[in-house]
Amino acid sequence: MLILATAKMDTHQSNRTDIQSDLEGASCCTPVSSPLTERELAVDVRALSAIGNDTRYEALRIVAAAENDVCVCELEPALGVTQGAISQALSRLYGAGLVTRRKDGRWRYYSATPRAERLLDVLDETREVDDE
Amino acid sequence: MLILATAKMDTHQSNRTDIQSDLEGASCCTPVSSPLTERELAVDVRALSAIGNDTRYEALRIVAAAENDVCVCELEPALGVTQGAISQALSRLYGAGLVTRRKDGRWRYYSATPRAERLLDVLDETREVDDE
DNA sequence: TGCTAATATTAGCATAGGCTAATATAAAAC
DNA sequence: GTTTTATATTAGCCTATGCTAATATTAGCA
């Protein structure tokens, strides 16, 4: 059965009715459906799209590599974008469940969540850099 | 482009490079730099941003869940987008090193790479779906 | 009180992204 | 050959994204 594609506000999403079941046969086309629920998909995509950006990925890397937690100002020189951009980046990582944050005086300290750490580990373990 | 921390200093003192006991006290701002090379970052971000999209993530899930490899036409009913969009999605996943493809007659069969499988496993193992 | 430092938020802009529809290619079938 | 089937590619249209600059908030300090 096919779930998903409920009320998304994507105007491009067409609501195609599928006529799959009794479509000819013989060919390769047996329809499949996603093994995850809509909510699980959304959670994962939120996390992945949060890391899938240079600034945020690098920010997360730095946060995860630090032994103690990291404050925003430490990231500014490494990332090469403005303070506002870094704040936005960390907020998004937080909303995606990839960092935790803790307030201490006027500073905000960030650290990576277990989910983030595991993902980064797998990325390290499976990366193949092609020389191109 | 990736700007590595130049020794921008001061504004505050600080000498905490590896000591984790004390961190209140003075300021927090020791600049750090990314632990990955520019190329490694690019490879990872390409993969992550490829998965970080509803259509492509679901496509990858289906491909990874299938016992044998999957052809494009099998995805069409599940994803709810046009054939062209699916072809674009799979191309991008391929370019990101997340699926392999093999041609057989007029069909193209896709399957997930080890990197993709490991990432999906970690996502499954660490996901926390909040009821919001 | 201020004032200043650290972070957050906002508006606005330029660009990237994702889709559809149309068209092109490629391989089998006729 | 021509037709059909499976997939790829392209142009074009919107929308989303990511940044900067400016402004707002918050907390310590004079």
Side-chain angles (χ1 to χ4, degrees):
Chain A
M1 82 277 296
L2 147 74
I3 351 138
L4 301 155
T6 48
K8 271 182 181 174
M9 38 195 179
D10 192 336
T11 55
H12 279 132
Q13 209 86 324
S14 68
N15 30 357
R16 22 196 333 279
T17 59
D18 5 66
I19 356 132
Q20 9 83 299
S21 45
D22 62 330
L23 193 48
E24 73 330 322
S27 70
C28 70
C29 298
T30 307
V32 264
S33 68
S34 169
L36 292 186
T37 70
E38 187 171 354
R39 175 157 290 174
E40 290 168 330
L41 278 171
V43 168
D44 289 355
V45 169
R46 190 178 317 135
L48 292 164
S49 62
I51 331 183
N53 162 266
D54 283 306
T55 300
R56 291 190 299 265
Y57 185 58
E58 215 186 327
L60 181 61
R61 276 285 173 189
I62 293 173
V63 167
E67 311 214 344
N68 356 4
D69 32 14
V70 173
C71 80
V72 177
C73 54
E74 292 182 79
L75 296 170
E76 203 163 343
L79 295 183
V81 294
T82 63
Q83 175 270 319
I86 293 177
S87 182
Q88 295 171 39
L90 289 170
S91 276
R92 178 133 176 214
L93 290 173
Y94 175 75
L98 297 166
V99 297
T100 60
R101 58 187 178 192
R102 149 178 89 79
K103 216 170 179 187
D104 183 10
R106 19 182 180 183
W107 294 287
R108 265 281 171 86
Y109 289 97
Y110 288 86
S111 60
T113 64
R115 174 166 242 219
E117 281 166 1
R118 299 261 332 256
L119 286 171
L120 295 182
D121 284 347
V122 167
L123 288 166
D124 285 336
E125 291 163 12
T126 61
R127 184 169 38 239
E128 298 173 14
V129 181
D130 47 13
D131 305 291
E132 151 171 1
Chain B
M1 68 206 56
L2 162 64
I3 299 161
L4 290 190
T6 53
K8 144 88 147 232
M9 31 100 43
D10 124 276
T11 11
H12 300 113
Q13 61 78 6
S14 72
N15 33 3
R16 74 186 196 58
T17 43
D18 48 5
I19 307 154
Q20 57 199 90
S21 47
D22 63 328
L23 42 75
E24 69 303 340
S27 87
C28 67
C29 298
T30 306
V32 265
S33 67
S34 170
L36 292 186
T37 70
E38 187 172 353
R39 174 156 292 175
E40 290 168 329
L41 278 171
V43 168
D44 289 355
V45 169
R46 190 178 317 134
L48 292 165
S49 63
I51 331 183
N53 162 267
D54 283 306
T55 300
R56 291 189 300 265
Y57 185 58
E58 215 186 329
L60 181 61
R61 276 284 173 190
I62 293 173
V63 167
E67 312 215 341
N68 0 4
D69 32 13
V70 173
C71 79
V72 177
C73 54
E74 292 182 79
L75 297 170
E76 203 163 342
L79 296 183
V81 294
T82 63
Q83 174 269 320
I86 293 177
S87 182
Q88 294 171 41
L90 290 170
S91 276
R92 177 133 176 214
L93 290 173
Y94 175 75
L98 296 166
V99 298
T100 60
R101 59 186 177 191
R102 150 179 89 79
K103 215 172 180 186
D104 183 10
R106 21 183 179 183
W107 292 288
R108 264 280 170 87
Y109 289 97
Y110 288 85
S111 59
T113 65
R115 175 166 241 218
E117 281 167 1
R118 300 256 339 250
L119 286 171
L120 296 182
D121 285 345
V122 167
L123 287 166
D124 286 336
E125 291 164 12
T126 62
R127 183 170 40 239
E128 299 174 12
V129 180
D130 47 11
D131 304 293
E132 138 182 10

